[in-house]
Amino acid sequence: FNRLEGNFYISGPLSDTLRARLAVTAARADDWQYSYTRDDKLGEVGYYAARLLVDWEPTDRLNFELNLNGWRDKSDPQAPQYQTLLSQSPTTTVPGLRAFPFAPFKPRAADWTPSTRPHADNRLLHAAGRMNWEIVDGITLTAISSYADYKPDQGFETDGTTLMADDFIIDKGFVKSFNQELRVANSDASGFRWVVGANYEKSHVYEYQLQTFSDISTSPIFGYTGA
């Protein structure tokens, strides 16, 4: 399917006290699934990711570590295969669904609603830092900070037909989370070990989903989750 994938990294010292490493990966590919009821394809792949690591040691008693990373994925979600119908009542099943053909036993054959085809544009940004400072001989202060920002924006096909029988046409939101750890500890060479510290976290999570049964129900059904 004309898949191309690449990976790259470069690593080494920038000075006597500073080191860094950069890594990048990406991939793309053409559609691999096909509709067995019309001329349409699905399954395109497109994503990339990168990570930067930086280590700085200005003195023997002080060092910093930084991790910056992120990715973006626009690959099509996979469509399922419609294989059987187990209706509770033959008289109430929508004729369109009862008449819809089952998928052939071929791995690439599937189907989905053309107007709300599966799609995705998800991304994540993340940063983490760590500081180790030996305040006095044998006693070290450690601070670890982390922040994550995740944003999904996607839609799924779940019934495997061209009907809106059970489609998540919208699934979007965000996760934003900050975490801070602070601790003081003595050296691991000591016969008696102790640690004093504290952790703090603040997260904001929101998700909105729009699920529809409009082709098999007399009224729309909406799903919502949020925090």
Side-chain angles (χ1 to χ4, degrees), residues 68-204:
L68 301 176
N69 61 85
W71 56 260
R72 187 173 185 179
D73 191 351
K74 301 180 71 175
S75 306
D76 292 339
Q78 182 175 342
Q81 289 185 325
Y82 178 55
Q83 291 289 350
T84 187
L85 174 63
L86 301 176
S87 59
Q88 294 180 342
S89 173
T91 59
T92 59
T93 303
V94 175
L97 183 60
R98 180 167 294 280
F100 199 87
F102 295 134
F105 287 97
K106 298 179 180 180
R108 295 177 55 200
D111 228 326
W112 53 92
T113 307
S115 60
T116 59
R117 57 182 290 118
H119 62 278
D121 187 1
N122 305 322
R123 65 111 173 117
L124 171 71
L125 299 174
H126 177 250
R130 174 172 178 153
M131 179 199 72
N132 296 302
W133 176 27
E134 190 176 10
I135 306 172
V136 297
D137 292 343
I139 298 180
T140 300
L141 170 66
T142 299
I144 302 175
S145 303
S146 175
Y147 179 76
D149 186 347
Y150 172 60
K151 185 178 181 181
D153 186 356
Q154 55 198 346
F156 298 97
E157 171 68 41
T158 57
D159 57 76
T161 73
T162 59
L163 304 173
M164 288 188 181
D166 184 12
D167 292 348
F168 285 87
I169 60 178
I170 297 177
D171 181 7
K172 62 192 307 182
F174 61 82
V175 177
K176 297 182 179 181
S177 181
F178 172 75
N179 185 276
Q180 178 66 54
E181 178 180 346
L182 191 65
R183 67 174 185 260
V184 180
N186 65 340
S187 171
D188 56 7
S190 304
F192 176 75
R193 295 301 311 279
W194 56 266
V195 177
V196 178
N199 289 274
Y200 171 80
E201 178 187 352
K202 183 177 181 180
S203 298
H204 188 190

Side-chain angles (χ1 to χ4, degrees), residues 204-216:
H204 188 190
V205 179
Y206 171 81
E207 183 177 14
Y208 172 78
Q209 292 182 339
L210 177 59
Q211 182 181 12
T212 178
F213 304 87
S214 57
D215 285 340
I216 62 170

